[in-house]
Amino acid sequence: MMATTRPPARQPLADQMYEVLLGQFMDGLWSPGQSLNIGALTRELNVSQTPLREALARLEHTGLVRREALKGYRVAPLFTERELIKLMDARLVLEPAMVQEAARRTTPEFLDELKVSIEELRRCAAAPRSASVRPYWAADERFHLRIAAQCDNPFLESAYRSLGGHVQRFRLFTELGSSEAESPAREHTAVYEAMAAGDAEGAAKTMRRHIENAKARALTDRQAVAEA
């Protein structure tokens, strides 16, 4: 009897809608504080309300959207200065610890994946902004998530992933100037080089410096927006 091949499972519609909406965020189609009209979205995306509401509930869990009683969903507002500082302080606790553990467990495959994400970050930094924002932040996210997975500590990784939506919110609502766009690629390279050299403590120090620099850039951007 010939073996039958099971067709690949289709992605649930709610998952598809989550990715579509997240893609719209990354493409800059939604502004902080903007109302999300479910009726209009169902017509635009040609889906029923059920998978759309499931997708929005997932986005609410990440912090990208908020649900208001009797009003529906709304895009999360910009971070306050205090929220931004607290988010970056949380990353300063978690990420140096993760990268220090990951640096003790490097493999050629792991280092190659980091290198690919850095090269993509560099290409996007050099490309026109309108074409590069989405792949730029995706490359940035891959770098940090890959380190979280490699640290081999499910509690650290889970803690970092619980921040994921808030980090994504920080990324998506941050202006990306050409000079600032080049800095993370250089900083990722420094982290990569320390890890490739087997310098776990050095990798932790360079990651801390990277997050501190990202915090300073974000606060500068926020002040510029407030003064505009």
Side-chain angles (χ1 to χ4, degrees):
M1 181 182 296
M2 293 182 61
T4 58
T5 302
R6 178 180 295 179
R10 293 185 61 188
Q11 185 182 35
L13 191 54
D15 291 349
Q16 294 179 41
M17 291 303 100
Y18 174 82
E19 292 184 3
V20 167
L21 292 173
L22 183 59
Q24 291 183 349
F25 276 102
M26 297 187 76
D27 288 337
L29 300 182
W30 298 102
S31 302
Q34 185 175 352
S35 176
L36 294 164
N37 186 297
I38 290 181
L41 284 170
T42 58
R43 292 189 293 273
E44 175 190 339
L45 301 175
N46 193 29
V47 293
S48 67
Q49 289 195 9
T50 299
L52 189 60
R53 288 184 182 277
E54 290 179 22
L56 286 168
R58 284 181 61 187
L59 286 168
E60 181 185 13
H61 182 69
T62 69
L64 282 172
V65 305
R66 294 181 178 178
R67 189 164 76 87
E68 300 175 345
L70 305 178
K71 293 183 179 179
Y73 287 96
R74 185 176 296 277
V75 180
L78 290 173
F79 279 113
T80 65
E81 183 173 324
R82 183 178 185 276
E83 287 174 330
L84 186 55
I85 290 170
K86 294 300 183 182
L87 172 63
M88 289 308 198
D89 286 349
R91 293 183 68 185
L92 281 168
V93 171
L94 283 172
E95 297 204 51
M98 291 191 309
V99 79
Q100 187 165 358
E101 292 302 314
R104 296 183 176 125
R105 298 169 175 80
T106 58
T107 64
E109 295 77 14
F110 166 67
L111 292 172
D112 284 346
E113 289 178 35
L114 292 187
K115 195 170 184 179
V116 167
S117 72
I118 293 169
E119 290 170 352
E120 177 66 13
L121 205 58
R122 289 189 185 281
R123 283 195 295 271
C124 293
R129 186 183 185 281
S130 59
S132 66
V133 172
R134 185 172 180 176
Y136 179 93
W137 289 128
D140 182 74
E141 180 182 31
R142 281 196 302 274
F143 181 85
H144 291 272
L145 284 176
R146 189 64 189 84
I147 290 172
Q150 192 69 18
C151 78
D152 195 33
N153 185 321
F155 299 102
L156 282 176
E157 182 180 0
S158 176
Y160 178 74
R161 287 184 180 275
S162 72
L163 290 177
H166 300 290
V167 175
Q168 194 75 286
R169 177 181 162 203
F170 156 73
R171 290 186 179 111
L172 300 185
F173 297 151
T174 298
E175 289 297 321
L176 195 63
S178 58
S179 59
E180 292 84 358
E182 294 170 1
S183 298
R186 291 194 298 269
E187 293 162 10
H188 283 197
T189 299
V191 173
Y192 165 85
E193 289 174 347
M195 298 182 81
D199 182 2
E201 290 187 7
K205 288 179 181 177
T206 53
M207 178 60 83
R208 173 171 285 277
R209 192 176 306 121
H210 169 47
I211 302 301
E212 287 173 341
N213 289 341
K215 178 180 178 180
R217 287 191 291 266
L219 289 171
T220 299
D221 287 344
R222 189 187 180 286
Q223 183 177 359
V225 170
E227 293 175 353

